[in-house]
Amino acid sequence: DTEVTQTPKHLVMGMTNKKSLKCEQHMGHRAMYWYKQKAKKPPELMFVYSYEKLSINESVPSRFSPECPNSSLLNLHLHALQPEDSALYLCASSHGRGSGVYFGAGTRLSVL
Amino acid sequence: GQNIDQPTEMTATEGAIVQINCTYQTSGFNGLFWYQQHAGEAPTFLSYNVLDGLEEKGRFSSFLSRSKGYSYLLLKELQMKDSASYLCAVQWVPSGAGSYQLTFGKGTKLSVIP
C-alpha cells in the first residue's frame, strides 16, 4: 500500500476565510511534505516534516501554517490567502533516504 | 541551488521506444526520481536511482550516472496512455538540515502519436 490520502479534493475560499487541508498516510513514513504546483509548472516544495518536527520551511508566507499532529497526519492551515495562491497542493511522504516519495492526489485550491 | 535540466517536449510513435534525458547539478545529492504526471493529476512515482546503473521495471527503465550528473528514463512499447509529463527529481540534503528534500525539473511533456 502506497496510499497518501488528501482531503478535500477541491476547495474554494475567499480571501478572508480560514480553511485547512488534511493529509494522512499509514505506511509508517517518517517524512512528510507539502508541495505547491501551479499549472504547467513542476511541484515546488513548501515544508518538510521529519519525525513530526518541521525541518524545512522554504520561505513560505505565514498565511500558510503547517501542523503535524502525529506521525500519520499532516495539516496545512490557510488564512487570508491571495488569488495567486490558487494552485494544486500536494502532500507526499517517504521513509527517508533510499525510499520512494509518494504523493497524494492533491487538493485543488481556488482563492476568490 | 539545484539545477535540473530536461527537454520541454518530446513526441514519439505508439509501439516505439523513447528516452527522456535529465542532467543535474546539485550539492548533497542522494538519489534521483522519475515521476509521471497526467494533466490535472498528482505525480505518480515511477523509479528511484541511488547508485549508478540501470533499474528496470516492466516497460520503464531508469539509468543514473552520478559522476556525469545524468539520468534517463526509457519507455518501451509506447502506449497512447503514456502521453503525460515526465518529471525528473533530485533528492538531496540541504547543508545543516536533518531531512531530505526533493526538487523537480520542469518536466518533459511526452506526446504519443498513432
Side-chain angles (χ1 to χ4, degrees):
Chain A
D1 180 15
T2 56
E3 189 169 330
V4 177
T5 304
Q6 288 188 245
T7 55
K9 291 194 188 317
H10 301 275
L11 179 62
V12 179
M13 60 187 289
M15 289 189 283
T16 59
N17 292 158
K18 284 184 181 181
K19 297 286 184 182
S20 296
L21 309 184
K22 297 186 182 300
C23 175
E24 189 169 1
Q25 57 87 14
H26 295 288
M27 296 177 277
H29 289 174
R30 308 311 288 191
M32 296 186 77
Y33 311 78
W34 280 115
Y35 280 83
K36 173 182 176 179
Q37 187 175 24
K38 303 282 274 184
K40 299 185 180 180
K41 298 285 187 184
E44 293 181 355
L45 182 67
M46 300 174 73
F47 303 104
V48 179
Y49 272 82
S50 179
Y51 290 88
E52 302 166 47
K53 292 187 179 169
L54 182 64
S55 61
I56 296 176
N57 176 342
E58 288 289 288
S59 302
V60 179
S62 60
R63 58 186 184 268
F64 295 91
S65 174
E67 179 198 18
C68 190
N70 60 54
S71 59
S72 300
L73 295 174
L74 186 66
N75 299 323
L76 186 62
H77 303 298
L78 314 172
H79 174 55
L81 294 193
Q82 304 297 309
E84 59 264 28
D85 296 322
S86 298
L88 180 66
Y89 288 84
L90 295 161
C91 174
S93 72
S94 76
H95 274 298
R97 181 176 185 173
S99 71
V101 178
Y102 297 94
F103 284 82
T107 294
R108 189 160 298 283
L109 174 68
S110 297
V111 182
L112 304 179
Chain B
Q2 314 305 306
N3 189 21
I4 305 169
D5 195 31
Q6 52 181 131
T8 305
E9 293 186 46
M10 296 183 73
T11 301
T13 306
E14 192 176 13
I17 299 173
V18 70
Q19 178 174 313
I20 303 174
N21 296 324
C22 172
T23 57
Y24 63 90
Q25 291 175 306
T26 186
S27 55
F29 177 82
N30 184 68
L32 191 135
F33 290 80
W34 283 96
Y35 286 87
Q36 179 192 63
Q37 188 172 28
H38 286 98
E41 298 181 10
T44 303
F45 171 70
L46 291 178
S47 68
Y48 176 46
N49 293 70
V50 62
L51 299 175
D52 290 352
L54 188 68
E55 295 279 343
E56 296 187 78
K57 254 189 193 180
R59 294 191 299 117
F60 295 79
S61 303
S62 58
F63 172 83
L64 176 66
S65 169
R66 289 172 296 170
S67 62
K68 295 181 180 176
Y70 168 69
S71 174
Y72 67 73
L73 179 70
L74 195 70
L75 292 80
K76 302 175 187 174
E77 301 168 16
L78 280 173
Q79 302 174 10
M80 300 299 289
K81 67 178 181 179
D82 296 329
S83 293
S85 284
Y86 290 86
L87 298 158
C88 168
V90 170
Q91 188 180 50
W92 59 287
V93 182
S95 176
S99 59
Y100 298 89
Q101 197 164 323
L102 197 63
T103 300
F104 287 84
K106 288 182 166 47
T108 298
K109 184 178 178 183
L110 174 66
S111 298
V112 179
I113 58 175

